[in-house]
Amino acid sequence: MKLKKIVEASNVWKRFDAMQKLQGTIMDLEDDMRDINQELSQLHKDMEQEAEGGGGPIADRYGRDIERKEKEYKKKRAEFKKLMKQLERLEAS
């Protein structure tokens, strides 16, 4: 009987610890996504100021940089969604 209570308590703490670690990772991802959004916003502003109206090498460079940041954001967002589902499952159990 005592051993069963110890195992149950241990499992509760393990789940709690896993949830805390997951929440920390999720918060880090949110920070990363916020940073990427700020960088994208700045890239768009800079492109408006510096790039040629009809296109050209500077516009192309900004286009590549923006595309790279958007891919990075999508990757972070997908990971964020996956971790949120894991957290929801942990909280439900």
Side-chain angles (χ1 to χ4, degrees):
M1 180 78 165
K2 238 181 182 183
L3 183 59
K4 185 177 178 183
K5 287 184 179 182
I6 291 172
V7 170
E8 287 175 4
S10 176
N11 287 340
V12 168
W13 284 109
K14 285 180 184 177
R15 193 175 92 233
F16 178 75
D17 187 47
M19 287 171 53
Q20 293 297 309
K21 288 179 182 176
L22 206 49
Q23 287 172 339
T25 303
I26 288 169
M27 287 172 42
D28 290 344
L29 280 172
E30 287 176 321
D31 288 342
D32 290 348
M33 290 188 307
R34 191 177 312 106
D35 291 344
I36 292 169
N37 271 333
Q38 289 174 348
E39 291 171 15
L40 276 169
S41 177
Q42 189 61 51
L43 280 169
H44 282 286
K45 289 175 187 174
D46 292 347
M47 184 170 76
E48 283 181 24
Q49 297 295 316
E50 298 174 21
E52 312 85 2
I58 296 173
D60 292 344
R61 179 175 53 88
Y62 276 108
R64 283 191 304 273
D65 291 347
I66 289 169
E67 187 175 305
R68 183 175 39 83
K69 283 292 173 188
E70 287 173 345
K71 283 182 182 178
E72 185 180 347
Y73 182 85
K74 286 179 185 177
K75 194 175 186 179
K76 297 276 184 186
R77 180 76 181 154
E79 187 177 351
F80 174 81
K81 286 182 178 182
K82 182 179 99 176
L83 293 178
M84 285 300 291
K85 285 181 183 178
Q86 288 179 5
L87 182 61
E88 288 171 10
R89 280 194 299 267
L90 278 173
E91 289 176 339
S93 58

